[in-house]
Amino acid sequence: MDYSILIPDCINYYLDGFKKTEYPACFRHYCQRTEGIFQEISIRDPEACARELVDWMDAHPGRFFRSRRLADRQMLLLQYTAPAALQMGQEAFAHALSRIWNKRHPQYPFQVASYQELFKGFNNTILGFQLPKEEE
């Protein structure tokens, strides 16, 4: 399985896109890009796939700034991979990924949250006035 699709080289595109105005489009793009992988996971064992993904990330640490790469990957898993898995019906994979990642990298833990939960967390007020929420 090509896990580089779930953890792309263009990781900064997604991390920089975690803003109220950009997150819906970035999340849609991530879901479109990863749909085939999640279909493959549905055929295989989600627990084994989660373990393989974490193994793959650990085997490709990059040359420099290892702790920064771990933090970036943790944020990608939190903001995109786990919510995309939930959206595509792969709840077991999302929770297994969180559990395995947190055990291996306790200094960079993450909890599973849906796209809707994350999007609700953006500040929607200006000068104390509630702004209408942007929905997909």
Side-chain angles (χ1 to χ4, degrees):
M1 191 174 308
D2 185 5
Y3 289 110
S4 65
I5 294 171
L6 291 174
I7 310 297
D9 288 336
C10 60
I11 193 169
N12 286 334
Y13 166 77
Y14 294 107
L15 297 179
D16 292 344
F18 191 68
K19 300 175 187 145
K20 180 183 172 188
T21 58
E22 297 175 30
Y23 186 46
C26 285
F27 186 73
R28 262 192 315 274
H29 181 264
Y30 185 84
C31 287
Q32 290 167 351
R33 175 189 176 112
T34 59
E35 185 176 6
I37 291 288
F38 286 113
Q39 288 174 354
E40 193 173 332
I41 288 170
S42 70
I43 297 168
R44 299 181 62 213
D45 176 21
E47 183 87 21
C49 290
R51 185 169 285 103
E52 287 172 17
L53 175 58
V54 175
D55 288 344
W56 181 87
M57 286 188 283
D58 289 344
H60 297 87
R63 300 175 111 188
F64 304 105
F65 308 111
R66 178 170 164 73
S67 63
R68 171 63 192 260
R69 282 187 179 267
L70 285 172
D72 286 352
R73 288 176 177 181
Q74 176 255 2
M75 292 306 292
L76 186 77
L77 295 174
L78 168 85
Q79 297 167 351
Y80 292 93
T81 309
L86 291 177
Q87 188 159 312
M88 295 190 203
Q90 296 301 321
E91 186 174 339
F93 173 77
H95 289 287
L97 183 59
S98 173
R99 189 175 52 259
I100 293 165
W101 174 268
N102 293 347
K103 186 175 181 180
R104 259 202 231 159
H105 303 287
Q107 70 278 29
Y108 300 105
F110 80 93
Q111 298 298 316
V112 175
S114 70
Y115 165 81
Q116 291 80 10
E117 291 171 306
L118 291 171
F119 190 76
K120 284 179 189 175
F122 288 108
N123 186 359
N124 290 305
T125 60
I126 293 181
L127 299 173
F129 294 100
Q130 187 72 25
L131 297 175
K133 291 210 177 207
E134 296 176 28
E135 298 293 329
E136 284 196 322

